[in-house]
Structures are given as structure tokens and as C-alpha cells.
Amino acid sequence: MAIDNQHNEFPEVTKIESGIEGFDLISLGGIPKKRTSLIAGSSGSCKTIFSIQFLVRGIQDYQENGVFVTFEETPAEIKSNVKSLGWDIHRFEENNQWAFVDASPEIDGQESSGAYNFMALLARIEHAVETVKAKRVVIDSIGALFPQLADADIVRKELFRIFAGLKLMNVTTLITAERFDEYGPISRFKVEEYVADNVIVLRHSIEEQKRRRTVEILKCRGSRHQNGEFPFTISDRGIEVMPLSAMKLEMVSSDLRIPTGNDTLDEMCGGGFYRDSIILVSGATGTGKTLLVTTFLDSGCNQNEKTLVFAFEESRSQLLRNAIGWGMGFNKWEDDGLLRIDCAYPETTGLPDHLLRMKEEIDKFNPSRIAVDSLSALERVSTGKAFREFVIGITSFIKEKQIAGLFTSVTPSLMGGISVTEQHISTITDSIILLRYVELMGEMKRGITVLKMRGSQHEKTIKEYDIDKTGMHIGNAFRNVGGILTGTPQQIAIAEDQMLSGMFEQDQ
């Protein structure tokens, strides 16, 4: 099935669905039809998987048969390597939907352009295309053909010959090419990208000792596309691209309020959270962030709502024990199918994989409320850019589904301060609740305030609270105390406090 870019400024370019999850959003429609696209990447960047997925999805989803031309791996090796992804190429072959062209050249000792018969290769490809009535072709990899050629001019000439022959077959072709550096020359011979109509770069770069997979459309001749690198990961279904910049702010907002689980906090928030709110709870260790998560989830279960928590710092048994200690029956909610607890160490995989897994769990369980405890644990195992991409990805996903999401983050010091996590998420949250330690007169107290409540009035005071075996109890506002949020609380003289209060009343 083709996608006609009738809304683009180049309407003559027709595209077909790539079959790569998320890729068609950044390419604004897919792979240009009946053209040749270069897939460039270093070793391990998923060039072959990208190409095979293009053929597999073409057969499965769009009834477009395919031909795979291999210069390095044998057909048996390729079929074996992709079985773990559920791709049964042997069955496609039996159904006359897939054909291999084993073009591994025997070129020992040969150094001239005449050493390999390119016209014979094109004839073999054309025969395979006609045999299975293919619409899609993959050549993996073109670089294996040319090491024996004398210079780049000969490479360019032979590439033109191959590309021209493929266009005459009326097929959409992907050709893979190796590169040595993630941000160096696009291809080995430095000419492939100029001959191809389109260039897609796959990277497996390392930043701050952390690996990160990205895809970038460098060139798409005659058609627009999204610019920049986009993260992707490999699931049991193949490559999945996360097109963050292609997302649109078109979510429907809800006026429905839901309780937080704490009556006083509901009052401070102007009547509870909005149904589709993204809430950030920030505080130092021991201030009660996980307690607020537990209360939030318990409140949802009490209203017969499904709730889901992603825990990255505590195990399931710890969360259950804590809930029981506060008088909340998480065991019962699990048995009733209203609560699901998903625990994982952040270090077990990369953020794109965590994001993909979380989306799958949300789709599978279909909760009304979710909690992530904590974002700071995820932030420590990623780069700043990757973390922000993750936060945008998960918050936009749950907002689109009108799920209330509560996220926690840890402040860098016991007395407060702005964390890296807050800097990344604060602008995209609807509500921010701050929990702070307050040291006064040799005694450690705790304070809570609603810093932000988008679209709603809320209390501006900082209130003292206690935690006991029944949960969090919010009391009166701190009086005659300043510097709580900056981490330097201190008593204010009563006379000064009264003067400030009088000035405030005059302003009102």
C-alpha cells in the first residue's frame, strides 16, 4: 500500500509503508516507492535487521513479496538468525513470497572491475523478482562487492549501473553499506550516498559510557522528512523507532478530578488531581514519596480502578510490606486484579527498552492510574538527552490515554535543591508537589507544598506533616519560617512576619 504525499511540497514522490514501527512518522510516509535507499551503519547498528524487517512486513502486512540479495551471510544463516524475532523466512519461500539471491563473489586474487560480472548479478536479481513477483528488494551489503575495485570512480560507475538496473525492475530497494565511524564518512567508499536517492543512517554510539541506538534520515530526494536522530530499540517484533519530535500536542484534556488518597492534599490541590494529570513528587530520601505513591494507588483501587506501579528501587515484597504497614491492602488489590506491580533494576537494559516494556504493560493492563518510583533511578543510568527522550515518551503516551501518572524524583541533598530529574520533567508536568525536611530549633520536621497545579487554583502554603503507621497526616502551615524550599529554613522575627502579612493584605 502506497502513501501519496499530497500534503507535502513534493507531491510527485509516493512512499510505501516501511514496516518499521515508528519510522514512517519520521519519514513522513515511509520509504520512497520504486527508488533506491542506502542504509548505512557501523557493525552492530542493525542494518540487516532493518532490511529484513522491511521485507517481512511487506509480505505480512502489505502483500508485497521480496527478494534478499546476500553477499556475506548464507541464506541458511540469515533464516536462523531471525527466527528469534518470529520471522519464518522458510515459510515465505515455500509460499513463493520470498527469494534469496546468494551473490557471494569468489574474488580471491582479483583486483579489476572485470573480476565481477555485475550484469550477470542484475540478471539473477531480475529473475528472482519475476519468479516471486517481488515489489521489494534488499541488497546486503553492497560494500562486499567493491574492495577489489581500483578506485572510487569505478565504484561510482558500477553503482550507477546497479541502481539503474533496479529502477527498471520497478522495485523499491534497500541497500546496506558499512561505515567505520558513527559520525564520520557516511559509507566506506564515500560515493554510495551520492548515488542513492535516499540515505538512512543507523548508529550504535556510545555516550558517557552508555550505548544508544538512533536512526537518522540524512537524505530523501524530492521529499520532506523529520530532521535529526531518533532513538530506536529492538524488541521481539523487530526494530521500533521512537519518533519523539513527530508527536503532536493533540491530547484531549479532562475536567474530571480524582482523589489523591489524602483528604488534606486534595484540598491543597483544589479538589484533587485532574484525570489526565502528570504529577511530579520531589523530595529527599525518607520524606514519604513512596508513601504518596502507595496512597495514590490505594485510592484508585478503592474506586475500583486499575492501577499500575513501575518500581525501580524497591522490590515487590518491599512495596507490599510497606503498604501493609500503612494499613493498605495491596495483596487484596493484586488478587482482585486491580493492582499490578512491575519491578526492575534500571541497569538491566537501556531507557528505550524500558520505555517499550512500560508501554506494552500499560496497553496490556489498561490502568486508570500509574506510578513510576523513581525517575531518578532511571536518570542515573542514562545520558541527559536519552533521559529527556524517555520522560517525553512515557508522559505523552499516558496523557494520550488520559491516564493519571504520578512520578517521583529524589533531590540531591536532604534539605532540598533542584535535581537533574526535575529540570527535565518540570516543564511537562501538570502538578508538582515538593516534600522537604525542615530543621528548626534542633528538631527535624517535614514540610509539603503544591508548587504547581496547571489549570487549577491551589494552596500556596508550606504545611507540616507527620508519617506514622496509618500514613501521612498533613497539619498546619509553617509560620514565621522562611527558606524552606531553598534548603535553608530559618525563623523570621514576629514583627517582620506581621509586617510582611500586612503588606500582603494591602496587595490583596
Side-chain angles (χ1 to χ4, degrees):
M1 179 179 177
I3 300 174
D4 194 348
N5 288 324
Q6 57 183 344
H7 299 298
N8 292 350
E9 58 184 285
F10 304 102
E12 69 275 9
V13 176
T14 300
K15 297 181 179 180
I16 62 172
E17 288 94 336
S18 66
I20 311 295
E21 184 72 27
F23 180 82
D24 294 353
L25 290 174
I26 67 173
S27 63
L28 302 182
I31 302 290
K33 186 177 182 180
K34 297 182 181 179
R35 294 194 176 192
T36 302
S37 299
L38 184 74
I39 312 297
S42 60
S43 176
S45 60
C46 299
K47 301 183 298 297
T48 301
I49 292 180
F50 189 102
S51 303
I52 294 175
Q53 188 170 339
F54 170 72
L55 294 187
V56 169
R57 295 288 181 244
I59 295 170
Q60 291 179 335
D61 301 336
Y62 311 116
Q63 293 74 53
E64 294 184 350
N65 297 343
V67 169
F68 192 95
V69 185
T70 176
F71 289 98
E72 296 174 327
E73 294 181 286
T74 66
E77 289 173 330
I78 293 171
K79 287 186 279 189
S80 175
N81 291 340
V82 300
K83 272 188 176 180
S84 62
L85 296 171
W87 298 341
D88 189 353
I89 296 178
H90 181 68
R91 179 171 58 84
F92 295 150
E93 287 182 297
E94 289 182 336
N95 294 337
N96 205 38
Q97 297 170 302
W98 180 298
F100 276 107
V101 174
D102 189 354
S104 303
E106 297 179 1
I107 54 176
D108 292 343
Q110 299 171 342
E111 298 181 351
S112 68
S113 61
Y116 195 88
N117 191 333
F118 290 98
M119 297 309 295
L121 170 64
L122 285 172
R124 294 176 63 192
I125 296 174
E126 185 174 14
H127 174 72
V129 168
E130 292 175 351
T131 299
V132 299
K133 297 181 173 55
K135 297 295 183 183
R136 302 182 180 211
V137 171
V138 164
I139 298 179
D140 183 42
S141 98
I142 197 70
L145 271 177
F146 298 122
Q148 77 275 18
L149 299 186
D151 56 41
D153 288 337
I154 298 177
V155 171
R156 181 188 288 263
K157 176 183 176 182
E158 298 299 341
L159 279 175
F160 269 123
R161 183 188 299 183
I162 293 172
F163 289 4
L166 290 167
K167 284 185 178 181
L168 291 175
M169 298 179 203
N170 290 320
V171 292
T172 304
T173 306
L174 299 187
I175 298 182
T176 68
E178 301 88 355
R179 58 192 310 227
F180 298 113
D181 300 315
E182 300 295 354
Y183 293 94
I186 299 301
S187 56
R188 179 180 297 182
F189 299 99
K190 303 179 184 179
V191 298
E192 296 96 317
E193 61 267 32
Y194 300 105
V195 179
D197 297 308
N198 319 292
V199 177
I200 299 166
V201 179
L202 302 179
R203 295 188 176 93
H204 192 202
S205 58
I206 186 165
E207 301 175 18
E208 301 176 19
Q209 300 182 341
K210 301 176 182 71
R211 284 285 179 185
R212 181 169 179 264
R213 296 186 185 276
T214 60
V215 57
E216 178 183 10
I217 301 174
L218 190 67
K219 178 176 80 170
C220 194
R221 188 170 287 158
S223 176
R224 295 189 301 114
H225 57 86
Q226 294 279 346
N227 294 316
E229 295 181 66
F230 296 84
F232 75 87
T233 188
I234 305 172
S235 71
D236 56 2
R237 298 183 301 274
I239 290 176
E240 299 197 29
V241 181
M242 299 167 192
L244 300 180
S245 70
M247 296 185 302
K248 299 179 180 179
L249 284 170
E250 297 178 348
M251 306 84 155
V252 177
S253 296
S254 173
D255 293 327
L256 179 66
R257 297 270 189 168
I258 60 172
T260 66
N262 186 297
D263 292 341
T264 308
L265 183 57
D266 286 344
E267 294 174 4
M268 294 176 67
C269 293
F273 300 138
Y274 284 120
R275 161 59 64 195
D276 57 351
S277 287
I278 303 298
I279 308 109
L280 176 66
V281 177
S282 173
T285 179
T287 52
K289 298 183 299 299
T290 303
L291 171 55
L292 279 184
V293 167
T294 306
T295 305
F296 174 72
L297 298 174
D298 185 68
S299 173
C301 292
N302 274 314
Q303 298 185 75
N304 206 37
E305 297 178 352
K306 283 187 174 183
T307 60
L308 173 61
V309 57
F310 296 100
F312 295 98
E313 293 182 321
E314 294 184 278
S315 67
R316 176 179 171 276
S317 61
Q318 285 177 300
L319 293 172
L320 291 175
R321 182 198 62 193
N322 294 342
I324 293 171
W326 291 316
M328 303 176 207
F330 269 22
N331 282 312
K332 178 183 182 301
W333 298 136
E334 272 196 313
D335 293 340
D336 292 344
L338 293 175
L339 171 67
R340 180 170 294 180
I341 300 173
D342 184 296
C343 301
Y345 277 116
E347 290 82 3
T348 56
T349 188
L351 286 193
D353 298 290
H354 278 303
L355 177 59
L356 182 62
R357 180 180 61 83
M358 292 167 73
K359 285 182 174 182
E360 289 175 346
E361 283 297 315
I362 292 170
D363 278 335
K364 189 187 306 180
F365 192 57
N366 193 28
S368 297
R369 304 183 183 203
I370 76 161
V372 178
D373 187 28
S374 76
L375 283 175
S376 300
L378 294 169
E379 182 269 328
R380 73 170 181 257
V381 298
S382 68
T383 63
K385 182 176 182 180
F387 180 68
R388 182 162 181 82
E389 289 172 346
F390 167 83
V391 169
I392 294 173
I394 189 64
T395 54
S396 62
F397 180 75
I398 66 174
K399 209 165 181 61
E400 184 178 348
K401 293 179 174 292
Q402 292 200 319
I403 298 172
L406 191 148
F407 300 79
T408 68
S409 71
V410 180
T411 54
S413 67
L414 288 177
M415 302 306 293
I418 299 176
S419 68
V420 174
T421 305
E422 289 177 46
Q423 293 174 356
H424 284 294
I425 192 175
S426 60
T427 57
I428 57 178
T429 55
D430 299 299
S431 306
I432 298 178
I433 297 172
L434 300 183
L435 305 178
R436 292 291 186 262
Y437 284 116
V438 183
E439 181 187 6
L440 289 175
M441 306 296 290
E443 183 179 358
M444 189 67 77
K445 301 177 182 292
R446 296 185 180 100
I448 182 172
T449 188
V450 179
L451 184 66
K452 173 184 175 183
M453 191 76 184
R454 186 173 285 158
S456 172
Q457 292 294 320
H458 62 89
E459 284 197 34
K460 312 298 192 298
T461 57
I462 303 173
K463 293 191 173 185
E464 185 177 354
Y465 68 93
D466 292 314
I467 296 175
D468 61 21
K469 62 181 181 180
T470 61
M472 178 181 290
H473 305 280
I474 302 174
N476 297 323
F478 282 99
R479 298 296 181 189
N480 311 319
V481 180
I484 294 176
L485 297 186
T486 60
T488 56
Q490 51 186 303
Q491 294 282 159
I492 299 177
I494 295 178
E496 180 183 352
D497 179 59
Q498 290 174 342
M499 179 182 70
L500 291 174
S501 298
M503 292 173 60
F504 178 76
E505 290 173 359
Q506 288 177 9
D507 289 341
Q508 296 297 314

